[in-house]
mmCIF file with all atom_site columns, all heavy atoms in Angstrom:
data_model
loop_
_atom_site.group_PDB
_atom_site.id
_atom_site.type_symbol
_atom_site.label_atom_id
_atom_site.label_alt_id
_atom_site.label_comp_id
_atom_site.label_asym_id
_atom_site.label_entity_id
_atom_site.label_seq_id
_atom_site.pdbx_PDB_ins_code
_atom_site.Cartn_x
_atom_site.Cartn_y
_atom_site.Cartn_z
_atom_site.occupancy
_atom_site.B_iso_or_equiv
_atom_site.pdbx_formal_charge
_atom_site.auth_seq_id
_atom_site.auth_comp_id
_atom_site.auth_asym_id
_atom_site.auth_atom_id
_atom_site.pdbx_PDB_model_num
ATOM 1  N N   . ASP A 1 19  ? 92.711 93.096 107.231 1.00 98.00 ? 19  ASP A N   1
ATOM 2  C CA  . ASP A 1 19  ? 91.843 91.974 107.630 1.00 98.00 ? 19  ASP A CA  1
ATOM 3  C C   . ASP A 1 19  ? 90.969 92.245 108.857 1.00 98.00 ? 19  ASP A C   1
ATOM 4  O O   . ASP A 1 19  ? 90.815 91.355 109.717 1.00 98.00 ? 19  ASP A O   1
ATOM 5  C CB  . ASP A 1 19  ? 92.680 90.710 107.880 1.00 98.00 ? 19  ASP A CB  1
ATOM 6  C CG  . ASP A 1 19  ? 93.372 90.189 106.626 1.00 98.00 ? 19  ASP A CG  1
ATOM 7  O OD1 . ASP A 1 19  ? 93.313 90.871 105.588 1.00 98.00 ? 19  ASP A OD1 1
ATOM 8  O OD2 . ASP A 1 19  ? 93.988 89.109 106.686 1.00 98.00 ? 19  ASP A OD2 1
ATOM 9  N N   . VAL A 1 20  ? 90.374 93.413 108.956 1.00 99.00 ? 20  VAL A N   1
ATOM 10 C CA  . VAL A 1 20  ? 89.417 93.652 110.054 1.00 99.00 ? 20  VAL A CA  1
ATOM 11 C C   . VAL A 1 20  ? 88.055 93.122 109.584 1.00 99.00 ? 20  VAL A C   1
ATOM 12 O O   . VAL A 1 20  ? 87.183 93.860 109.128 1.00 99.00 ? 20  VAL A O   1
ATOM 13 C CB  . VAL A 1 20  ? 89.381 95.133 110.481 1.00 99.00 ? 20  VAL A CB  1
ATOM 14 C CG1 . VAL A 1 20  ? 88.435 95.300 111.674 1.00 99.00 ? 20  VAL A CG1 1
ATOM 15 C CG2 . VAL A 1 20  ? 90.786 95.599 110.880 1.00 99.00 ? 20  VAL A CG2 1
ATOM 16 N N   . GLN A 1 21  ? 87.945 91.799 109.664 1.00 98.00 ? 21  GLN A N   1
ATOM 17 C CA  . GLN A 1 21  ? 86.813 91.041 109.120 1.00 98.00 ? 21  GLN A CA  1
ATOM 18 C C   . GLN A 1 21  ? 86.125 90.281 110.241 1.00 98.00 ? 21  GLN A C   1
ATOM 19 O O   . GLN A 1 21  ? 86.751 89.914 111.243 1.00 98.00 ? 21  GLN A O   1
ATOM 20 C CB  . GLN A 1 21  ? 87.335 90.029 108.081 1.00 98.00 ? 21  GLN A CB  1
ATOM 21 C CG  . GLN A 1 21  ? 87.883 90.683 106.837 1.00 98.00 ? 21  GLN A CG  1
ATOM 22 C CD  . GLN A 1 21  ? 88.649 89.691 105.979 1.00 98.00 ? 21  GLN A CD  1
ATOM 23 O OE1 . GLN A 1 21  ? 89.886 89.665 106.008 1.00 98.00 ? 21  GLN A OE1 1
ATOM 24 N NE2 . GLN A 1 21  ? 87.942 88.871 105.207 1.00 98.00 ? 21  GLN A NE2 1
ATOM 25 N N   . ASN A 1 22  ? 84.848 89.988 110.041 1.00 98.00 ? 22  ASN A N   1
ATOM 26 C CA  . ASN A 1 22  ? 84.051 89.371 111.111 1.00 98.00 ? 22  ASN A CA  1
ATOM 27 C C   . ASN A 1 22  ? 84.677 88.089 111.650 1.00 98.00 ? 22  ASN A C   1
ATOM 28 O O   . ASN A 1 22  ? 84.629 87.838 112.857 1.00 98.00 ? 22  ASN A O   1
ATOM 29 C CB  . ASN A 1 22  ? 82.639 89.096 110.617 1.00 98.00 ? 22  ASN A CB  1
ATOM 30 C CG  . ASN A 1 22  ? 81.900 90.390 110.316 1.00 98.00 ? 22  ASN A CG  1
ATOM 31 O OD1 . ASN A 1 22  ? 82.209 91.431 110.906 1.00 98.00 ? 22  ASN A OD1 1
ATOM 32 N ND2 . ASN A 1 22  ? 80.952 90.348 109.395 1.00 98.00 ? 22  ASN A ND2 1
ATOM 33 N N   . ASP A 1 23  ? 85.270 87.264 110.803 1.00 98.00 ? 23  ASP A N   1
ATOM 34 C CA  . ASP A 1 23  ? 85.831 85.998 111.297 1.00 98.00 ? 23  ASP A CA  1
ATOM 35 C C   . ASP A 1 23  ? 87.023 86.186 112.233 1.00 98.00 ? 23  ASP A C   1
ATOM 36 O O   . ASP A 1 23  ? 87.365 85.260 112.972 1.00 98.00 ? 23  ASP A O   1
ATOM 37 C CB  . ASP A 1 23  ? 86.220 85.068 110.144 1.00 98.00 ? 23  ASP A CB  1
ATOM 38 C CG  . ASP A 1 23  ? 85.068 84.158 109.742 1.00 98.00 ? 23  ASP A CG  1
ATOM 39 O OD1 . ASP A 1 23  ? 84.106 84.008 110.535 1.00 98.00 ? 23  ASP A OD1 1
ATOM 40 O OD2 . ASP A 1 23  ? 85.124 83.595 108.627 1.00 98.00 ? 23  ASP A OD2 1
ATOM 41 N N   . PHE A 1 24  ? 87.666 87.346 112.208 1.00 98.00 ? 24  PHE A N   1
ATOM 42 C CA  . PHE A 1 24  ? 88.798 87.596 113.108 1.00 98.00 ? 24  PHE A CA  1
ATOM 43 C C   . PHE A 1 24  ? 88.376 88.369 114.354 1.00 98.00 ? 24  PHE A C   1
ATOM 44 O O   . PHE A 1 24  ? 89.210 88.669 115.214 1.00 98.00 ? 24  PHE A O   1
ATOM 45 C CB  . PHE A 1 24  ? 89.906 88.358 112.372 1.00 98.00 ? 24  PHE A CB  1
ATOM 46 C CG  . PHE A 1 24  ? 90.489 87.593 111.217 1.00 98.00 ? 24  PHE A CG  1
ATOM 47 C CD1 . PHE A 1 24  ? 90.469 88.110 109.932 1.00 98.00 ? 24  PHE A CD1 1
ATOM 48 C CD2 . PHE A 1 24  ? 91.061 86.347 111.419 1.00 98.00 ? 24  PHE A CD2 1
ATOM 49 C CE1 . PHE A 1 24  ? 91.003 87.398 108.862 1.00 98.00 ? 24  PHE A CE1 1
ATOM 50 C CE2 . PHE A 1 24  ? 91.603 85.624 110.363 1.00 98.00 ? 24  PHE A CE2 1
ATOM 51 C CZ  . PHE A 1 24  ? 91.566 86.150 109.077 1.00 98.00 ? 24  PHE A CZ  1
ATOM 52 N N   . GLN A 1 56  ? 91.572 92.143 102.588 1.00 98.00 ? 56  GLN A N   1
ATOM 53 C CA  . GLN A 1 56  ? 90.467 91.222 102.922 1.00 98.00 ? 56  GLN A CA  1
ATOM 54 C C   . GLN A 1 56  ? 90.915 89.796 102.617 1.00 98.00 ? 56  GLN A C   1
ATOM 55 O O   . GLN A 1 56  ? 91.160 89.453 101.455 1.00 98.00 ? 56  GLN A O   1
ATOM 56 C CB  . GLN A 1 56  ? 89.230 91.612 102.094 1.00 98.00 ? 56  GLN A CB  1
ATOM 57 C CG  . GLN A 1 56  ? 87.970 90.861 102.463 1.00 98.00 ? 56  GLN A CG  1
ATOM 58 C CD  . GLN A 1 56  ? 86.743 91.400 101.720 1.00 98.00 ? 56  GLN A CD  1
ATOM 59 O OE1 . GLN A 1 56  ? 86.853 91.972 100.627 1.00 98.00 ? 56  GLN A OE1 1
ATOM 60 N NE2 . GLN A 1 56  ? 85.576 91.208 102.306 1.00 98.00 ? 56  GLN A NE2 1
ATOM 61 N N   . ASP A 1 57  ? 91.008 88.982 103.672 1.00 98.00 ? 57  ASP A N   1
ATOM 62 C CA  . ASP A 1 57  ? 91.325 87.556 103.523 1.00 98.00 ? 57  ASP A CA  1
ATOM 63 C C   . ASP A 1 57  ? 90.126 86.918 102.809 1.00 98.00 ? 57  ASP A C   1
ATOM 64 O O   . ASP A 1 57  ? 88.974 87.138 103.221 1.00 98.00 ? 57  ASP A O   1
ATOM 65 C CB  . ASP A 1 57  ? 91.513 86.969 104.931 1.00 98.00 ? 57  ASP A CB  1
ATOM 66 C CG  . ASP A 1 57  ? 92.522 85.839 104.999 1.00 98.00 ? 57  ASP A CG  1
ATOM 67 O OD1 . ASP A 1 57  ? 93.548 85.892 104.297 1.00 98.00 ? 57  ASP A OD1 1
ATOM 68 O OD2 . ASP A 1 57  ? 92.278 84.898 105.797 1.00 98.00 ? 57  ASP A OD2 1
ATOM 69 N N   . ALA A 1 100 ? 83.498 86.624 106.139 1.00 98.00 ? 100 ALA A N   1
ATOM 70 C CA  . ALA A 1 100 ? 84.529 87.237 105.296 1.00 98.00 ? 100 ALA A CA  1
ATOM 71 C C   . ALA A 1 100 ? 84.310 88.736 105.114 1.00 98.00 ? 100 ALA A C   1
ATOM 72 O O   . ALA A 1 100 ? 85.189 89.433 104.598 1.00 98.00 ? 100 ALA A O   1
ATOM 73 C CB  . ALA A 1 100 ? 84.560 86.554 103.929 1.00 98.00 ? 100 ALA A CB  1
ATOM 74 N N   . GLU A 1 101 ? 83.139 89.228 105.539 1.00 98.00 ? 101 GLU A N   1
ATOM 75 C CA  . GLU A 1 101 ? 82.865 90.663 105.344 1.00 98.00 ? 101 GLU A CA  1
ATOM 76 C C   . GLU A 1 101 ? 83.737 91.517 106.250 1.00 98.00 ? 101 GLU A C   1
ATOM 77 O O   . GLU A 1 101 ? 84.026 91.147 107.389 1.00 98.00 ? 101 GLU A O   1
ATOM 78 C CB  . GLU A 1 101 ? 81.381 90.955 105.628 1.00 98.00 ? 101 GLU A CB  1
ATOM 79 C CG  . GLU A 1 101 ? 80.503 90.518 104.482 1.00 98.00 ? 101 GLU A CG  1
ATOM 80 C CD  . GLU A 1 101 ? 79.019 90.547 104.823 1.00 98.00 ? 101 GLU A CD  1
ATOM 81 O OE1 . GLU A 1 101 ? 78.628 91.270 105.769 1.00 98.00 ? 101 GLU A OE1 1
ATOM 82 O OE2 . GLU A 1 101 ? 78.280 89.823 104.146 1.00 98.00 ? 101 GLU A OE2 1
#
Side-chain angles (χ1 to χ4, degrees):
D19 295 7
V20 183
Q21 292 168 259
N22 294 333
D23 270 343
F24 297 122
Q56 187 174 26
D57 212 37
E101 283 169 22

